[in-house]
Amino acid sequence: MNFELKSLTVSSAAQQACDALIVVVSQVFSSADDSLSALIHQALSSGHWESKPGKLLQLYASDTCKAPRLLVAGCGDGTPKSLKKAVEAAAAAIKGVAVRRVVLCFTEAPSAAGVRAAVLGLAEATYVYTTTLSKKEGRRLERCVVGVPNRPAVLDDFQHAAAAVQGIELAKEWGNRPANHATPTLLAGAAQDLAKQTGMRCEVLGPKEVAKLGMGSFMSVARGSTEPLRFVVLHYDGGPKNQAPVVLIGKGITFDTGGISIKPASEMDEMKFDMCGAASVLGTFAALAQLKPAINVVGLIPTCENMPAGNAVKPGDVVTSMSGQTIEVLNTDAEGRLILCDALSYAERFKPRAVIDIATLTGACVVALGAVRSGMFASSDALAEALVQAGDAALDPCWRMPLDDDYAEGLKSKFADVANVAGRAGGAVVAAKFLQRFVGQFPWAHLDIAGTAWKSGSSKGSTGRPVGLLLAYLMAQDIGSLPVAKARSPRAKPSTPSA
Ligand code: BES
Ligand code: MN
Ligand code: ZN
């Protein structure tokens, strides 16, 4: 979908040619003298409509605007969250009908964060997955003009949001694809395609190279599958060569049966989403390529299937990780940490300024935080703070969880340096403690997105989270946004990532 930002008032928006006009009205609405504002005033004062978030008034062939469809959407207090809700309600109402061009305007000037929220809401409510359907009736909406009173004031945030939408939708696409349409090879191919289209560097390692690196832990997970593993290394080079990169590591289990410690049948299909961490890395890189911040970012994606088989890894097997530490695999369903630990060891070579891993890691995190906030664990307070802020700003929130050493007690093993599971208690923290053993000399954070990466039930599907959070974090790392470097105007010279 195409977004465009224009300077428009409500009355000038009413003159735009389009299929539908959405007017977002806050609770502090005061009528202007144009006919559209008068109509809204009348609906409010008569009590026939109220401006609470999500409340909608729909009109057809109103003589107050050029568009055949008019949607008046309440946004209450006008916070970004309320604005998103308002736009989502209006967009949902036009999702199934022949609306190709929409104009969105506001009775009160939205904040920069409000504009971001509106763009995200519009995309969210109109997204359609079609890849594996024979009749591909995709999104009807093609173009959305966002009208604000003062375009320059919110342009940066608007562009950020439009890029975030691209990234979120790429993450949704790969998350939603069934596992037979998103094998490790296909997922690695998606990374290569993305790199080709955007001029980024991408390397894909296969079983031989991974064996040579000594990633015995990663290899043990892949062993039971006939699909060969892949290890993807993506580079976004927007900053100076000598600038230490941020490394993102995404868990890419394209299907998690549990392996020999097999999962129950009910809802096992949802384990196609076990590569949503990897998909979020792809989505974030797609958005970076569009926004071109002056930073360096490396993306690492260990990807394979977790299957039971005659040659699969067995409970009690001891494997040797790239770090040299031996691991007793007590439960083959705790496979995410087994592939991430080797990626964490690999990350050390980039001398990163921060490493963030993103993983649908534990059911325990779903129990702890539900579908609202991702679990966040960090070895550095500064990194934790930056991620919390980024999540709040992007409406993609996370919550910091503890990392006390006492949580690692249960991981002691008689037969290896460490076991891959402990008891059920505090499972999300125990998993993070396991990962922490493999963290080198860099600030590290771990995002457990098991509860936030996809929705179950009738609205089953990938959410594209936490692309919004990651992008907000990375954009704030752009030295161009620090006062000291402001003078050199980083966006004047587009930093072309080297091929
Ligand atoms: N991919 C799952 C985590 C998961 C489970 C995410 C359910 C969302 C919903 C992960 O590989 C897993 O199976 N974890 C186990 C760990 C346990 C064996 C210590 C879990 O959470 O049950
Ligand atoms: Mn598992
Ligand atoms: Zn898993």
Side-chain angles (χ1 to χ4, degrees), residues 417-448:
D417 300 341
V418 65
N420 77 329
V421 293
R424 279 161 54 89
V429 193
V430 174
K433 288 307 287 182
F434 176 90
L435 293 177
Q436 197 178 20
R437 295 178 62 100
F438 301 87
V439 172
Q441 294 303 306
F442 44 75
W444 161 75
H446 156 59
L447 290 168
D448 193 332

Side-chain angles (χ1 to χ4, degrees), residues 184 207 210 215-230 253 255 302-309 311-313 332 335 338-339:
V210 163
M215 294 185 168
S217 185
F218 178 23
M219 281 164 33
S220 77
V221 176
R223 224 166 67 196
S225 172
T226 52
E227 289 291 339
L229 64 76
R230 293 288 183 260
I253 295 292
F255 198 79
T303 173
C304 67
E305 288 184 339
N306 185 23
M307 299 289 282
N311 62 339
V313 66
T332 65
E335 85 297 341
L338 295 177
I339 74 171

Side-chain angles (χ1 to χ4, degrees), residues 184-195:
T185 304
L186 289 169
L187 191 62
Q192 275 172 320
D193 290 347
L194 173 66

Side-chain angles (χ1 to χ4, degrees), residues 19-366:
D19 301 316
L21 174 67
I22 301 173
V23 188
V24 178
V25 183
S26 85
Q27 66 197 16
V28 298
F29 171 76
S30 62
S31 187
D33 49 14
D34 62 286
S35 60
L36 180 48
S37 297
L39 176 86
I40 294 166
H41 176 74
Q42 197 187 342
L44 277 168
S45 58
S46 65
H48 288 145
W49 176 72
E50 50 183 355
S51 56
K52 286 188 180 148
K55 294 280 184 190
L56 207 59
L57 181 68
Q58 293 197 59
L59 295 94
Y60 183 67
S62 163
D63 55 14
T64 62
C65 67
K66 249 193 180 165
R69 274 174 172 266
L70 171 61
L71 297 106
V72 182
C75 73
D77 55 9
T79 59
K81 217 173 154 178
S82 304
L83 275 164
K84 185 160 181 254
K85 198 167 173 189
V87 175
E88 280 178 355
I94 55 167
K95 186 177 179 180
V97 295
V99 171
R100 291 185 297 117
R101 293 170 311 156
V102 63
V103 173
L104 182 65
C105 68
F106 308 84
T107 57
E108 276 71 39
S111 64
V115 171
R116 283 204 308 264
V119 170
L120 291 174
L122 204 104
E124 175 74 40
T126 56
Y127 172 83
V128 211
Y129 170 82
T130 59
T131 308
T132 43
L133 293 164
S134 66
K135 290 194 184 65
K136 298 193 198 316
E137 281 173 23
R139 172 190 261 144
R140 299 274 186 96
L141 202 56
E142 288 165 8
R143 195 174 134 76
C144 174
V145 171
V146 179
V148 292
N150 182 5
R151 181 179 186 270
V154 295
L155 182 58
D156 276 359
D157 287 83
F158 170 81
Q159 284 170 340
H160 178 127
V165 165
Q166 296 297 317
I168 287 166
E169 295 194 350
L170 183 66
K172 282 185 180 180
E173 169 65 22
W174 282 95
N176 284 334
R177 284 197 192 188
N180 63 332
H181 295 260
T183 60
T185 304
L186 289 169
L187 191 62
Q192 275 172 320
D193 290 347
L194 173 66
K196 218 182 213 165
Q197 288 158 18
T198 56
M200 294 188 287
R201 278 190 290 145
C202 180
E203 243 181 298
V204 176
L205 313 185
K208 268 192 197 141
E209 292 94 338
V210 163
K212 209 163 171 197
L213 284 163
M215 294 185 168
S217 185
F218 178 23
M219 281 164 33
S220 77
V221 176
R223 224 166 67 196
S225 172
T226 52
E227 289 291 339
L229 64 76
R230 293 288 183 260
F231 188 84
V232 178
V233 187
L234 256 173
H235 296 264
Y236 168 77
D237 303 320
K241 266 215 160 72
N242 59 359
Q243 188 193 87
V246 174
V247 176
L248 304 180
I249 303 176
K251 171 178 171 182
I253 295 292
T254 58
F255 198 79
D256 181 11
T257 64
I260 297 297
S261 314
I262 199 162
K263 288 180 181 295
S266 85
E267 281 145 42
M268 202 207 271
D269 67 290
E270 294 191 8
M271 284 299 121
K272 73 172 184 177
F273 294 116
D274 212 17
M275 36 56 72
C276 282
S280 79
V281 172
L282 291 185
T284 302
F285 271 73
L288 287 173
Q290 211 167 313
L291 291 172
K292 301 191 178 8
I295 55 170
N296 295 326
V297 188
V298 175
L300 302 179
I301 299 176
T303 173
C304 67
E305 288 184 339
N306 185 23
M307 299 289 282
N311 62 339
V313 66
K314 303 170 292 297
D317 282 2
V318 172
V319 300
T320 303
S321 67
M322 184 177 170
S323 73
Q325 295 179 76
T326 59
I327 303 166
E328 186 183 15
V329 182
L330 286 176
N331 189 321
T332 65
D333 197 10
E335 85 297 341
R337 61 199 78 180
L338 295 177
I339 74 171
L340 292 171
C341 69
D342 282 341
L344 281 165
S345 298
Y346 188 87
E348 181 85 68
R349 69 184 55 204
F350 300 106
K351 300 189 173 54
R353 74 164 122 158
V355 175
I356 305 168
D357 75 70
I358 307 105
T360 49
L361 204 63
T362 66
C365 194
V366 190

Side-chain angles (χ1 to χ4, degrees), residues 351-423:
K351 300 189 173 54
R353 74 164 122 158
V355 175
I356 305 168
D357 75 70
I358 307 105
T360 49
L361 204 63
T362 66
C365 194
V366 190
V367 175
L369 296 173
V372 181
R373 286 178 186 264
S374 303
M376 185 264 289
F377 303 79
S379 64
S380 138
D381 290 345
L383 180 55
E385 187 50 38
L387 290 171
V388 165
Q389 275 186 20
D392 288 346
L395 300 180
D396 186 358
C398 65
W399 191 258
R400 191 176 186 183
M401 304 275 279
L403 278 172
D404 304 85
D405 286 340
D406 292 345
Y407 284 106
E409 275 303 304
L411 290 174
K412 286 188 177 146
S413 162
K414 252 184 138 171
F415 304 103
D417 300 341
V418 65
N420 77 329
V421 293

